[in-house]
Amino acid sequence: MELTNKDTITSLELLEQINFFRKKERFENQNDSRLLKDCLHDSLLKIIRDEFEEEISLGELNESTYKSRGKEYPMFILTIS
């Protein structure tokens, strides 16, 4: 995924990148069990809500949704900057 050509990234795309680098680090360190496991989307949403609490309360950052398996789930659309 080329982030430099985009203005926004979804929390799902960000999760994909986080887990890509976590897997790469584990591979480079012979699957060292002390390294971070893959992050779950629910966990990332909690982090985003915590880190951007002020922006969310001011309405500068809004939760969006995506559909998967016939259900709607929450996600965020973040600006790259």
Side-chain angles (χ1 to χ4, degrees):
M1 175 186 328
E2 185 64 39
L3 297 180
T4 56
N5 293 335
K6 295 178 66 174
D7 293 330
T8 62
I9 184 171
T10 68
S11 54
L12 293 168
E13 293 168 326
L14 180 58
L15 179 69
E16 183 181 326
Q17 289 296 298
I18 290 168
N19 287 334
F20 170 81
F21 286 108
R22 285 183 175 191
K23 285 176 185 159
K24 184 177 179 187
E25 184 177 11
R26 284 194 305 269
F27 178 77
E28 290 172 355
N29 291 285
Q30 288 84 38
N31 289 317
D32 187 336
S33 63
R34 295 171 295 171
L35 296 174
L36 295 172
K37 303 293 183 213
D38 284 358
C39 183
L40 300 174
H41 192 238
D42 284 348
S43 299
L44 181 58
L45 291 177
K46 288 177 188 175
I47 292 168
I48 291 170
R49 287 181 186 117
D50 182 52
E51 291 293 321
F52 295 100
E53 180 179 5
E54 185 176 336
E55 290 85 350
I56 292 169
S57 68
L58 293 173
E60 296 172 358
L61 179 60
N62 298 307
E63 203 169 276
S64 187
T65 60
Y66 70 99
K67 286 190 178 190
S68 177
R69 299 173 290 198
K71 291 178 69 178
E72 282 195 1
Y73 297 94
M75 73 170 182
F76 283 96
I77 300 173
L78 308 165
T79 60
I80 297 297
S81 61

